[in-house]
């Protein structure tokens, strides 16, 4: 006996996120021997279910990294034996008291640490936190809560949510997840910048012409429209995933890699960003389309979407950072559903070489011939740098070539899912990749005015066909700043 134990309770255990991401990530951590020796997993939800039924439900989505590893099914069985279920309402203490009783049984004689993953809609966060934190107050280990966006709809509602949560929790207990921060390439962004001499000195308005943050999915809301319609793509992707990447990209060098040092720099750069204006934003919504004998539905055809909805499924925006490093550099963001491809990437377009001796050998389009650094976050993780290179031969012709680091070729190992990294960090109390409340406030401050204006004026989104490259307005927006989207040219 003795030692510490960690219990992980997934609240909202029968939901999509829990089944698709959280339980599989926990199993992957177990499989890689990353979970503590004494741990238990609890599922909590309203429906009645036995432990066995929960195990069956989870087992359907567990996978082994390398399927042929022979100990995989043994490992699965060992993991499932540590999984239990408790049913209960979200707004009543009863279920949580029962959960507490069961947790205490498992914790007997050990230092109890409890992690709650709130995989539930945000309107019930506070109810759950109230009940779960009360029952846990007698323990002497840590109690932490992971919460997942949406954290409100704007500055006010987000502030309200923070205040309510803080009635029951300290900031140190709240782990606000943005799963993009757990993606391998996003984590690597700081490594690239701060441990390679060839990048950081160029990382400013002196050498960078513009930066593009691009997110696209090749599928629509497909039944998730009920949730999505309340938020739209700006709140679903831009205000969090893309903005977080931007903050890491543009922040000053932190004092150290400690969580507070990094988050201090992120807050500073977020607070230096100009609030978006309506002119800086283009919105779109996908419409039905037939291609190759197949027809694709419009957003408003999703039965969970209210008819006549003008919620954007696509948005492009130009963000500016008013500080010495980035003055005047456009940061263009683009996010959309039901586009032609699934991709997330960061593109850095550098300035022209002044007085380029080879301008005549490059062809007419000098802008196309500038260096471009691309970090492909997904799929097929890669980092590549476009350079001008002499085409071999007796003549002198230059073309654009790539120095290419393709992860699948360089590293012959599976890349862990973002949720694995983040769950592990939460258990270890590592807050570097979680959003602090002042970061969240700063993020909302950038987007709240424009969101309000879009909604008050009922700005109609530009329709684009399902499977296309999105509304043409995105090109005009970029052209206003002399930018061409790198993923299209
Ligand atoms: C979620 C959004 O945060 O991220 C979804 O709510 C989106 O709309 C998803 O599909 C994308 O995540 P990933 O990791 O699949 O790119």
């Amino acid at each position: 006996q003795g030692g510490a134990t960690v219990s992980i309770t997934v609240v909202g255990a029968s939901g999509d996120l829990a089944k698709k991401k959280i339980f599989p990530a926990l199993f992957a951590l177990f499989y890689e021997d990353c979970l503590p020796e004494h741990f238990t997993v609890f599922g909590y939800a309203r429906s009645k279910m036995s432990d066995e039924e929960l195990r069956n439900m989870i087992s359907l989505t567990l996978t082994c990294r390398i399927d042929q590893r022979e100990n995989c099914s043994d490992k699965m069985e060992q993991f499932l034996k540590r999984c239990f279920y408790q049913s209960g309402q979200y707004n009543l203490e009863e279920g949580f008291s029962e959960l507490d009783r069961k947790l205490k049984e498992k914790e007997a004689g050990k230092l109890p640490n409890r992690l709650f993953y709130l995989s539930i809609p945000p309107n019930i966060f506070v109810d759950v936190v109230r009940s779960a934190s009360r029952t846990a107050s007698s323990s002497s280990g840590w109690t932490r809560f992971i919460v997942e966006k949406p954290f409100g709809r704007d500055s006010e509602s987000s502030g309200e949510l923070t205040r309510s949560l803080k009635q029951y929790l300290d900031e140190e207990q709240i782990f606000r997840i943005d799963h993009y921060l757990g993606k391998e390439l996003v984590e690597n962004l700081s490594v690239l910048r701060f441990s390679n001499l060839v990048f950081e000195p160029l990382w400013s308005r002196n050498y960078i012409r513009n930066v593009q943050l691009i997110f696209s999915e090749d599928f629509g809301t497909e039944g998730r429209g009920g949730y999505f319609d309340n938020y739209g793509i700006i709140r679903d992707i831009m205000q969090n995933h893309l903005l977080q990447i931007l903050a890491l990209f543009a922040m000053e060098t932190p004092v150290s890699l400690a969580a507070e040092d990094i988050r201090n720099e992120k807050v500073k750069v977020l607070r230096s960003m100009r609030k978006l204006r309506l002119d800086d934003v283009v919105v779109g919504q996908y419409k039905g389309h037939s291609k190759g004998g197949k027809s694709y539905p419009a957003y408003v055809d999703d039965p969970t979407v209210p008819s006549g909805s003008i919620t954007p499924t696509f948005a492009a925006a130009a963000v500016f950072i008013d500080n010495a490093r980035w003055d005047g550099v456009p940061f263009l963001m683009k996010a959309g559903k039901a586009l032609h491809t699934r991709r997330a990437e960061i593109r850095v377009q550098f300035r022209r070489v002044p007085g380029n001796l080879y301008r005549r050998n490059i062809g007419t389009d000098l802008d196309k011939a500038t260096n471009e650094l691309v970090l492909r976050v997904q799929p097929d993780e890669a980092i590549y740098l476009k350079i001008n290179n002499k085409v071999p031969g007796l003549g002198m012709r230059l073309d654009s070539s790539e120095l290419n680091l393709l992860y699948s070729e360089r590293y012959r190992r599976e890349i862990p899912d973002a949720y694995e990294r983040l769950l592990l960090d939460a258990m270890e109390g590592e807050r570097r990749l979680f959003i602090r409340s002042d970061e969240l406030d700063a993020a909302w401050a950038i987007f709240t005015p424009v969101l309000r204006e879009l909604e008050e004026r009922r700005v109609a989104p530009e329709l684009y066909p399902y499977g296309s490259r999105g509304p043409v307005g995105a090109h005009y927006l970029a052209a206003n700043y002399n930018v061409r989207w790198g993923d299209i040219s």
Side-chain angles (χ1 to χ4, degrees):
Q1 292 298 316
T5 172
V6 175
S7 59
I8 304 136
T9 303
V10 182
V11 183
S14 40
D16 237 28
L17 180 72
K19 284 195 277 195
K20 285 195 188 137
K21 294 288 183 184
I22 306 170
F23 290 118
L26 287 169
F27 172 62
L29 290 174
F30 175 71
Y31 189 78
E32 302 285 338
D33 292 326
C34 292
L35 290 185
E37 191 189 342
H38 303 290
F39 80 92
T40 44
V41 174
F42 266 87
Y44 186 101
R46 280 174 306 189
S47 39
K48 295 259 180 271
M49 226 193 284
S50 63
D51 292 343
E52 218 34 59
E53 283 167 322
L54 174 85
R55 290 171 187 162
N56 286 339
M57 183 190 88
I58 300 176
S59 68
L60 300 176
T61 57
L62 301 188
T63 49
C64 294
R65 279 277 158 62
I66 300 167
D67 286 326
Q68 53 277 39
R69 277 202 209 168
E70 69 278 348
N71 63 351
C72 182
S73 48
D74 291 353
K75 281 275 202 182
M76 267 190 201
E77 225 153 89
Q78 290 166 26
F79 175 77
L80 290 170
K81 274 194 202 141
R82 310 262 201 120
C83 296
F84 305 90
Y85 184 74
Q86 173 63 46
S87 74
Q89 297 300 316
Y90 294 122
N91 57 351
L92 298 178
E93 241 173 72
E94 214 182 305
F96 288 98
S97 308
E98 188 52 23
L99 172 71
D100 183 53
R101 197 188 56 73
K102 291 188 184 169
L103 286 173
K104 285 198 173 109
E105 247 173 54
K106 312 271 176 228
E107 291 162 351
K110 299 190 187 69
L111 180 72
N113 295 310
R114 295 182 178 181
L115 180 65
F116 292 87
Y117 197 121
L118 305 194
S119 181
I120 46 175
N123 59 335
I124 47 179
F125 279 176
V126 181
D127 286 336
V128 169
V129 164
R130 186 191 303 117
S131 312
S133 62
R134 261 193 212 144
T135 54
S137 60
S138 57
S139 70
S140 50
W142 50 254
T143 302
R144 297 179 186 142
F145 289 80
I146 300 184
V147 287
E148 178 121 17
K149 71 161 177 63
F151 308 119
R153 309 187 75 252
D154 51 21
S155 293
E156 282 75 42
S157 49
S158 162
E160 178 67 37
L161 179 62
T162 303
R163 279 191 295 281
S164 309
L165 289 176
K166 286 193 181 171
Q167 285 183 330
Y168 307 102
L169 302 176
D170 296 330
E171 174 68 21
E172 289 65 52
Q173 293 181 277
I174 308 173
F175 286 67
R176 296 179 194 82
I177 221 170
D178 182 313
H179 78 284
Y180 265 63
L181 292 181
K183 295 204 184 240
E184 192 60 45
L185 263 280
V186 177
E187 267 221 277
N188 193 48
L189 186 52
S190 291
V191 178
L192 195 73
R193 274 187 73 184
F194 300 126
S195 79
N196 290 293
L197 186 70
V198 293
F199 294 117
E200 184 57 16
L202 303 184
W203 225 250
S204 76
R205 64 191 302 278
N206 296 331
Y207 300 101
I208 291 179
R209 208 157 39 111
N210 68 74
V211 180
Q212 306 177 10
L213 303 154
I214 299 172
F215 168 97
S216 72
E217 277 180 341
D218 54 359
F219 47 90
T221 49
E222 267 116 75
R224 245 180 109 235
Y227 150 79
F228 188 86
D229 201 72
N230 269 318
Y231 294 95
I233 198 81
I234 297 180
R235 293 183 179 95
D236 191 46
I237 304 291
M238 261 191 190
Q239 182 269 355
N240 32 72
H241 302 330
L242 295 189
L243 190 65
Q244 282 296 321
I245 297 178
L246 174 50
L248 285 176
F249 182 95
M251 69 181 182
E252 295 299 314
T253 314
V255 175
S256 78
L257 290 176
E260 297 321 318
D261 287 334
I262 294 176
R263 300 196 294 183
N264 288 345
E265 292 309 328
K266 283 171 71 196
V267 175
K268 274 204 284 197
V269 77
L270 287 167
R271 291 182 54 206
S272 304
M273 288 180 200
R274 229 181 270 170
K275 291 183 176 45
L276 279 172
R277 298 166 313 144
L278 202 52
D279 287 350
D280 301 326
V281 175
V282 166
V283 288
Q285 188 188 81
Y286 63 90
K287 60 179 180 181
H289 181 56
S290 324
K291 205 161 81 186
K294 206 172 166 220
S295 63
Y296 297 88
Y299 172 65
V300 287
D301 292 339
D302 183 327
T304 54
V305 169
S307 64
S309 166
I310 56 163
T311 297
T313 59
F314 175 99
V319 178
F320 287 88
I321 305 178
D322 289 328
N323 66 13
R325 188 189 281 261
W326 296 115
D327 194 5
V329 177
F331 288 86
L332 291 187
M333 294 182 177
K334 183 163 75 165
K337 292 199 173 271
L339 294 171
H340 73 298
T341 184
R342 174 170 177 264
R343 174 155 56 187
E345 61 188 13
I346 308 165
R347 304 185 83 99
V348 188
Q349 295 188 343
F350 291 90
R351 292 189 183 280
R352 292 183 191 177
V353 174
N356 192 338
L357 284 176
Y358 289 98
R359 56 191 307 149
R360 285 197 181 75
N361 311 87
I362 283 175
T364 48
D365 197 344
L366 278 180
D367 276 348
K368 261 191 160 174
T370 63
N371 296 121
E372 188 175 31
L373 174 68
V374 182
L375 278 78
R376 193 160 62 223
V377 177
Q378 66 188 32
D380 303 329
E381 290 83 350
I383 300 173
Y384 56 94
L385 178 64
K386 289 195 183 171
I387 58 162
N388 294 309
N389 200 53
K390 178 180 173 300
V391 178
L394 297 177
M396 177 53 77
R397 195 163 63 78
L398 270 57
D399 76 354
S400 175
S401 239
E402 286 168 8
L403 299 178
N404 198 353
L405 170 60
L406 192 59
Y407 273 45
S408 59
E409 279 172 9
R410 177 70 181 82
Y411 305 104
R412 302 215 168 266
R413 52 186 317 218
E414 285 260 341
I415 293 179
D417 189 77
Y419 283 90
E420 293 170 38
R421 149 100 295 132
L422 294 165
L423 276 162
L424 191 59
D425 280 0
M427 276 182 257
E428 290 177 350
E430 168 58 80
R431 295 174 175 78
R432 202 164 36 94
L433 300 179
F434 294 89
I435 320 290
R436 211 167 60 187
S437 71
D438 52 350
E439 271 186 79
L440 185 61
D441 293 345
W444 275 121
I446 300 164
F447 284 92
T448 295
V450 81
L451 283 165
R452 193 156 296 159
E453 221 175 321
L454 282 166
E455 282 158 11
E456 274 169 13
R457 294 192 186 197
R458 294 192 54 76
V459 173
E462 192 180 324
L463 297 179
Y464 60 95
Y466 193 120
S468 69
R469 288 173 183 269
V472 66
H475 298 282
Y476 294 127
L477 178 78
N480 285 342
Y481 304 102
N482 283 326
V483 177
R484 240 182 311 196
W485 292 105
D487 61 328
I488 288 183
S489 56

